[in-house]
């Protein structure tokens, strides 16, 4: 009986080689599947934050219009230039911050805001608003008020089409028709009004700055043919 016991004990045991081989196989499988899982997680989180930001902005505009009237009548100062015809970033910073504080700040929850200004390099920064979930958006006073939404704030990669996406808030019927195809829509993705998803996809491929319309076509989700890796 002792011999039978020893035989069975050996039969159900594992050698060191077998354990190492098993661990090696697990490691190979993990190395193959983890990147895909991480990528899918990034897509899901980015999609959720895009949906949330778009919804927050639409709700804020609706609430602000109740207090300030139709957004077509909101006061938006023209782009500011200095005596040499260059963009005056200090003036632009004040304009954008004052606009935000008057029309949007009361209807958005945010943690902090900076003011755009001139830098020593001669370039400028954009007024930026930081949200509680770690995302942020910067905006600037152009023909429309243009917004750069960054799903992870100052964290990398800080690249358009990957973690930065462009929106516009327009205040004339002509600009709204050009960008959105509707004079009643005040806020939407940056990019000339696209009629088809194929057109939006091609523009995104050619210029990451114009990927937001494609994502809107896809309900803010990243399909398999989305041209940039998050």
């Amino acid at each position: 009986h002792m011999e039978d016991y020893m035989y069975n004990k050996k039969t159900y045991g594992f050698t060191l080689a077998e354990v190492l081989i098993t661990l090696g196989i697990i490691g190979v499988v993990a190395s193959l599947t983890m990147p895909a899982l991480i990528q899918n997680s990034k897509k899901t989180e980015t999609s959720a934050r895009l949906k949330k930001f778009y919804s927050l902005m639409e709700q804020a505009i609706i609430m602000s219009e109740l207090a300030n009237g139709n957004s077509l009548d909101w006061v938006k100062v023209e782009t500011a230039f200095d005596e040499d015809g260059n963009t005056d970033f200090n003036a632009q910073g004040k304009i954008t911050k004052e606009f935000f504080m008057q029309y949007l700040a009361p209807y958005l929850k945010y943690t902090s805001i900076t003011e755009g200004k001139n830098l020593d390099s001669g370039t400028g920064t954009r007024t930026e608003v930081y949200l509680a979930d770690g995302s942020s958006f910067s905006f600037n006073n152009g023909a429309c008020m243009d917004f750069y939404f960054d799903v992870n704030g100052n964290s990398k990669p800080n690249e358009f089409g990957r973690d930065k996406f462009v929106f516009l808030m327009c205040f004339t019927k002509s600009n709204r028709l050009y960008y959105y195809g509707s004079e009643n829509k005040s806020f939407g993705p940056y990019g000339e009004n696209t009629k088809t998803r194929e057109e939006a996809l091609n523009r995104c491929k050619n210029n990451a700055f114009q990927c937001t319309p494609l994502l809107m076509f896809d309900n803010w989700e990243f399909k398999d043919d989305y041209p940039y890796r998050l």
Side-chain angles (χ1 to χ4, degrees):
H1 295 294
M2 180 61 70
E3 291 179 355
D4 291 341
Y5 171 76
M6 294 301 294
Y7 175 77
N8 290 334
K9 185 177 181 181
K10 291 180 180 178
T11 300
Y12 291 106
F14 294 97
T15 66
L16 178 60
E18 290 172 332
V19 172
L20 292 176
I21 290 172
T22 302
L23 291 175
I25 292 172
I26 293 173
V28 170
V29 173
S31 67
L32 294 174
T33 57
M34 284 302 294
L37 292 175
I38 293 172
Q39 180 72 1
N40 288 336
S41 176
K42 285 183 178 179
K43 286 183 177 181
T44 300
E45 182 178 5
T46 303
S47 176
R49 290 194 174 185
L50 277 165
K51 289 179 183 178
K52 180 181 177 182
F53 173 69
Y54 190 70
S55 176
L56 285 174
M57 291 301 300
E58 285 194 317
Q59 292 174 27
I61 292 169
I62 290 172
M63 295 297 294
S64 185
E65 285 188 322
L66 293 176
N68 298 296
N70 192 305
S71 54
L72 283 170
D73 299 322
W74 290 1
V75 177
K76 189 193 80 64
V77 181
E78 296 297 320
T79 305
F81 298 96
D82 60 22
E83 295 178 353
D84 298 322
N86 299 315
T87 302
D88 186 336
F89 292 106
N90 286 333
Q92 286 284 84
K94 289 182 174 61
I95 290 169
T96 52
K97 186 174 182 180
E98 288 172 0
F99 176 90
F100 175 80
M101 298 308 296
Q102 178 176 353
Y103 293 110
L104 296 175
Y107 315 103
L108 286 173
K109 292 183 179 180
Y110 62 98
T111 58
S112 63
I113 180 174
T114 64
E115 184 176 297
K117 59 182 179 180
N118 273 324
L119 301 177
D120 292 338
S121 62
T123 59
T125 60
R126 297 162 59 91
T127 298
E128 189 152 13
V129 178
Y130 295 88
L131 304 176
D133 64 0
S135 63
S136 66
F137 62 90
S138 60
F139 54 106
N140 185 53
N141 179 43
C144 297
M145 193 70 77
D146 56 300
F147 289 73
Y148 294 177
F149 176 63
D150 194 318
V151 298
N152 56 6
N154 294 328
S155 299
K156 294 181 179 180
N158 291 323
E159 295 179 8
F160 292 109
R162 298 183 65 191
D163 62 345
K164 293 177 69 173
F165 305 91
V166 189
F167 296 84
L168 290 177
M169 184 183 294
C170 295
F171 306 92
T172 66
K173 292 182 178 180
S174 59
N175 280 337
R176 290 180 178 184
L177 286 172
Y178 179 80
Y179 287 110
Y180 316 138
S182 170
E183 62 184 34
N184 296 318
K185 186 177 180 64
S186 58
F187 185 79
Y190 172 83
E192 183 181 346
N193 181 35
T194 51
K195 302 296 191 299
T196 66
R197 184 185 184 277
E198 182 180 5
E199 181 183 4
L201 176 60
N202 288 332
R203 288 183 175 173
C204 179
K205 287 179 178 179
N206 293 328
N207 185 358
F209 203 77
Q210 296 198 40
C211 285
T212 320
L214 172 63
L215 292 167
M216 192 170 186
F217 263 105
D218 293 335
N219 193 31
W220 307 110
E221 296 178 358
F222 294 84
K223 303 296 185 181
D224 290 341
D225 60 352
Y226 186 76
Y228 303 100
R229 183 179 180 85
L230 301 191

